[in-house]
Amino acid sequence: MKKTLLLMLLPALLLSASCGGGRKTSSTEAYPHPTKHQTWRLVKMQERPLRKGMRPVTIVFNSEAGSVKGQSACNRYYADYTLRGDALKLQGLGWTDVACPEWEMNVEQRYLWLLSKVTRMHIEADTMTLYQKNKAILKYCLQ
């Protein structure tokens, strides 16, 4: 019974591992930089999927202004950024101050802390991964 259930769930688990259902393109074909005001939805923090039922956590890059904005677990946030090659640095991170349930505030604090540690990015097809040095810490799917 357990083996049958696992075999039934395996395709769904494999599809959820990537954003576009397994579509593969090189980063230069589709989205070399997140500069087109595209909305990216967070799917993993430190390799862990987000809690179900949570409002979407997003990031949007504005290349003309050199800024990012988005929705964290509870509040909106913003920052300036510089991108040189794949080296990404966020500066002046700020956010609104709306009260939310404690679990959402905990997720938000963790997310904003990780965002402040980002040093590098990689985009492949519809997936963007942000790194602290060589460790993947935030993974997004193009919304």
Side-chain angles (χ1 to χ4, degrees), residues 69-116:
K69 65 180 181 177
Q71 176 70 45
S72 57
C74 184
N75 289 283
R76 305 239 1 116
Y77 69 91
Y78 49 88
D80 294 325
Y81 80 91
T82 54
L83 180 63
R84 290 188 178 93
D86 68 349
L88 175 65
K89 182 173 182 162
L90 298 170
Q91 302 168 353
L93 185 60
W95 53 90
T96 58
D97 195 18
V98 176
C100 293
E102 185 177 350
W103 72 269
E104 284 182 337
M105 293 301 293
N106 291 338
V107 170
E108 177 171 278
Q109 288 172 0
R110 184 80 179 150
Y111 173 69
L112 294 172
W113 181 79
L114 289 169
L115 202 55
S116 74

Side-chain angles (χ1 to χ4, degrees), residues 7-17:
L7 289 174
M8 289 172 47
L9 291 175
L10 189 58
L13 291 172
L14 291 173
L15 281 177
S16 69

